[in-house]
Amino acid sequence: MERIEFNLPSIGIGTWKINEKEIMASILKEAVEIGYSLIDTAASYSNEMIIGKSVAELGISRQKLILSDKVWRTNYGYEGAIAACHKSIKKLKTDYLDLYLIHWPATPMEYENWEEINAETWRGLETLYKQGDVRAIGVSNFKPVHLESLFKTASVCPFVNQIEYHPGMLQPDVTDYCLEKGIMIEASSPLGSGLISNNEILKKCAEDESISIAELCLAFCGLQNVTAIPRTTKQERLRSNYCAIDIPLKESTIQQIKELPYIGGLGLNSEEVIDFAKL
């Protein structure tokens, strides 16, 4: 099975629910000046055109960006995935995508032929990769059972699996499997969408390290070689997030985070039928 040679930075910009052009332009301008390159979006976020226009109007060099996008559930299948990718490329005003993911797997709870659906969607991504429309391909919210099924027919190994990942939601079953298979992990919601900020254990850990809980979460991602894609609309947070990924942590802090019981986050589950655009 072919393995993709590609490099991801340790931190990127999440853009879910950022749908105002003025805010997007301001964030992108500041982010690029700080040193960010990875921009994560998805067809279901409905902001591809805003990102494309902002990049063009700001005069940001395409070579400075790593544009990552995702095919939504309504475009499952070989032809659907290819058509969706070409549509996203056009909206983003670019000639190619750096990274393209299947946003959610088809599951046995939804489809009797879920394995075939995932296989055909992945085959579409493989074609896009081989044609040069995208530089790397991967999946999002895939569990080991979905990946095992995909490997039955795949000719290219997924480069990355983007999952909900933060203290209290480390998904070791998924991360251990991906590590074994050589699949990188991207952390969507690395800050737990703010829902973990009141956890007493994390408060104590952050206090002991003399950093904020947000910095603690991102530093942990960095130490686990997990690419974090936090979302923020505040320019001051862009810089603190960017610096936090390289903060060292005590071994005792790392162990406490690993042992933290489930405390939630987005609460998304890839085994459920989810209209992600309405969440």
Side-chain angles (χ1 to χ4, degrees):
M1 187 180 300
E2 181 180 353
R3 293 194 173 275
I4 298 169
E5 295 295 328
F6 190 71
N7 291 316
L8 272 182
S10 54
I11 190 167
I13 306 167
T15 65
W16 180 37
K17 287 190 174 181
I18 302 179
N19 299 98
E20 295 182 25
K21 185 174 179 297
E22 293 76 13
I23 294 176
M24 183 71 77
S26 175
I27 290 296
L28 293 182
K29 182 177 184 296
E30 182 72 13
V32 171
E33 290 177 357
I34 290 171
Y36 285 90
S37 58
L38 174 61
I39 301 174
D40 180 81
T41 185
S44 67
Y45 296 177
S46 301
N47 60 13
E48 293 162 315
M49 291 183 68
I50 294 172
I51 292 173
K53 288 180 180 179
S54 296
V55 169
E57 292 177 7
L58 290 168
I60 300 172
S61 170
R62 178 65 179 88
Q63 285 65 45
K64 290 185 177 180
L65 299 178
I66 298 174
L67 293 179
S68 178
D69 210 319
K70 310 177 193 74
V71 56
W72 185 237
R73 302 159 68 87
T74 50
N75 291 104
Y76 280 147
Y78 178 77
E79 294 181 357
I82 292 175
C85 181
H86 289 161
K87 187 174 182 180
S88 291
I89 287 173
K90 185 175 181 180
K91 286 183 175 181
L92 286 164
K93 295 184 179 295
T94 186
D95 297 322
Y96 66 96
L97 294 175
D98 296 282
L99 183 60
Y100 198 54
L101 314 178
I102 300 177
H103 204 149
W104 287 91
T107 72
M109 291 183 65
E110 305 167 87
Y111 306 97
E112 290 185 5
N113 63 334
W114 65 277
E115 291 186 289
E116 179 185 351
I117 291 172
N118 288 334
E120 283 298 290
T121 306
W122 184 249
R123 189 167 70 90
L125 266 64
E126 289 180 334
T127 295
L128 290 163
Y129 166 66
K130 292 172 182 176
Q131 290 179 168
D133 293 309
V134 300
R135 296 174 60 202
I137 53 177
V139 296
S140 180
N141 302 301
F142 271 55
K143 294 183 181 294
V145 64
H146 307 127
L147 290 164
E148 279 291 333
S149 173
L150 205 65
F151 288 147
K152 293 177 183 178
T153 57
S155 63
V156 179
C157 181
F159 172 74
V160 70
N161 187 9
Q162 184 182 121
I163 61 172
E164 182 181 353
Y165 180 95
H166 52 76
M169 184 68 170
L170 298 180
Q171 301 200 59
D173 58 328
V174 179
T175 56
D176 289 350
Y177 179 88
C178 287
L179 179 64
E180 177 188 337
K181 299 296 183 181
I183 301 171
M184 286 190 65
I185 295 293
E186 267 190 319
S188 66
S189 183
L191 307 181
S193 290
L195 299 179
I196 63 174
S197 59
N198 292 321
N199 182 270
E200 293 302 323
I201 295 176
L202 291 179
K203 283 182 179 180
K204 182 64 168 56
C205 285
E207 182 181 335
D208 289 345
E209 298 284 353
S210 299
I211 56 179
S212 68
I213 288 181
E215 289 172 322
L216 179 72
C217 293
L218 294 174
F220 181 80
C221 281
L223 291 168
Q224 301 304 306
N225 295 316
V226 170
T227 292
I229 43 176
R231 168 198 172 278
T232 184
T233 57
K234 298 178 180 179
Q235 292 189 19
E236 61 272 19
R237 286 285 181 86
L238 282 172
R239 187 170 296 277
S240 62
N241 286 350
Y242 189 79
C243 296
I245 204 75
D246 293 321
I247 294 175
L249 298 177
K250 301 170 187 174
E251 279 300 322
S252 58
T253 298
I254 295 171
Q255 195 58 37
Q256 286 186 77
I257 293 174
K258 287 183 176 180
E259 294 174 356
L260 200 67
Y262 176 76
I263 53 175
L266 284 178
L268 303 182
N269 186 323
S270 61
E271 297 298 337
E272 297 174 347
V273 181
I274 298 170
D275 187 350
F276 192 81
K278 294 181 180 178
L279 286 174

